[in-house]
Amino acid sequence: MRTLRTIAEMRAALGDARPGLVPTMGAFHEGHLSLIRAARADNDVVVVSLFVNPSQFGPGEDLARYPRDEARDAHLAEAEGVDYLFAPAAEEIYPSGFQTWVEVEQLSQPLEGALRPGHFRGVATVCLKLFNIVRPRRAYFGQKDAQQAAVIKQMVRDLDLDLELRVLPTVRDQDGLALSSRNAYLSPEERTAASALPRALATKDPERALALLDGLDVDYVEVADFDPRVLAAAVRVGRTRLIDNVVLEEGAPT
Ligand code: PAF
């Protein structure tokens, strides 16, 4: 596996290849690895991007303390047979004078968008940039970030991007908690409290879910009309904000 830092190096390495791309912010867990394995199975060439994207964090959010361990991530990616790890510096993606942004207007408004203004603008912009740099045939996202997947799907459709999106099921720990790089912030007591979130969502009923989240700081529990429809929730446990969702349609990724 080669680790590449610049857009020019990435383009030169790929030539005419149309790889599978797994966009990530690092701190790999089994959720990331399931995306990487799917990409490895589907594509001749696999690129994993590792970039903690500053433009999707709001003021006061966890950009500075977001877990970073590139050496560990590189080791895991290599063990999964990844060909290229694209790990640019922030200035490579957002050079001085950068001023062009992608807004997916309606889908970015509710839920996470209402609580994290500008978040999906940052996500959509960096994903479009990664798609332009890597020119993937397929790109892989997790169903855990259901609204993000919906926003990216809409962008791909609206801007006629020539790639296939694959959205894979959420990977969960034994206690049901969806794997997330932010789980690393939880103390053992907070982790126990957080396990109410998947139990609540498993009811697939917003009122029953809210009752089961009694005692937690709930940002929302709502049915969202994404494709597929989900019951989505966000809670704060101590200083950590967790999101999760359950698919309400049979046969869709869970
Ligand atoms: O889901 C993530 O890790 C990020 O939002 C993404 C898609 C890599 C864009 O920065």
Side-chain angles (χ1 to χ4, degrees), residues 23-25 32 49 51 53 56 66 119 123 126-127 130 141 145 148:
T24 83
M25 298 205 301
H32 296 110
S49 63
F51 180 62
N53 174 32
Q56 68 187 76
Y66 197 85
H119 171 67
V123 169
V126 82
C127 286
L130 290 168
F141 292 85
D145 295 304
Q148 167 171 283

Side-chain angles (χ1 to χ4, degrees), residues 138-216:
R138 303 181 187 88
Y140 296 78
F141 292 85
Q143 175 61 27
K144 164 159 184 304
D145 295 304
Q147 190 171 8
Q148 167 171 283
V151 164
I152 303 296
K153 257 187 219 170
Q154 187 71 40
M155 176 181 78
V156 166
R157 188 189 312 158
D158 289 349
L159 300 183
D160 306 304
L161 302 183
D162 179 22
L163 74 145
E164 183 190 335
L165 284 190
R166 299 237 159 133
V167 181
L168 271 69
T170 302
V171 179
R172 296 181 181 280
D173 254 328
Q174 281 186 345
D175 59 0
L177 200 63
L179 296 189
S180 160
S181 306
R182 292 188 168 97
N183 292 354
Y185 301 150
L186 298 170
S187 69
E189 297 73 31
E190 289 173 340
R191 167 117 205 165
T192 306
S195 66
L197 179 57
R199 282 202 302 278
L201 288 170
T203 64
K204 300 195 170 183
D205 176 305
E207 282 175 21
R208 284 170 61 209
L210 194 57
L212 287 174
L213 293 173
D214 192 28
L216 291 184

Side-chain angles (χ1 to χ4, degrees), residues 2 10 39 55 82 85 107 115 117 129 135 186 196 210 229:
R2 286 175 64 199
M10 188 73 253
S55 73
V82 168
L85 188 67
L107 274 170
L115 285 134
K129 289 200 58 135
R135 298 189 313 116
L186 298 170
L210 194 57
R229 250 170 107 241

Side-chain angles (χ1 to χ4, degrees), residues 79-116:
E80 295 298 340
V82 168
D83 298 291
Y84 300 107
L85 188 67
F86 179 52
E91 307 74 57
E92 182 72 5
I93 299 296
Y94 300 111
S96 134
F98 185 90
Q99 53 181 297
T100 304
W101 299 96
V102 182
E103 295 267 9
V104 178
E105 292 181 346
Q106 288 159 37
L107 274 170
S108 298
Q109 301 273 319
L111 307 178
E112 287 305 289
L115 285 134
R116 304 183 67 191

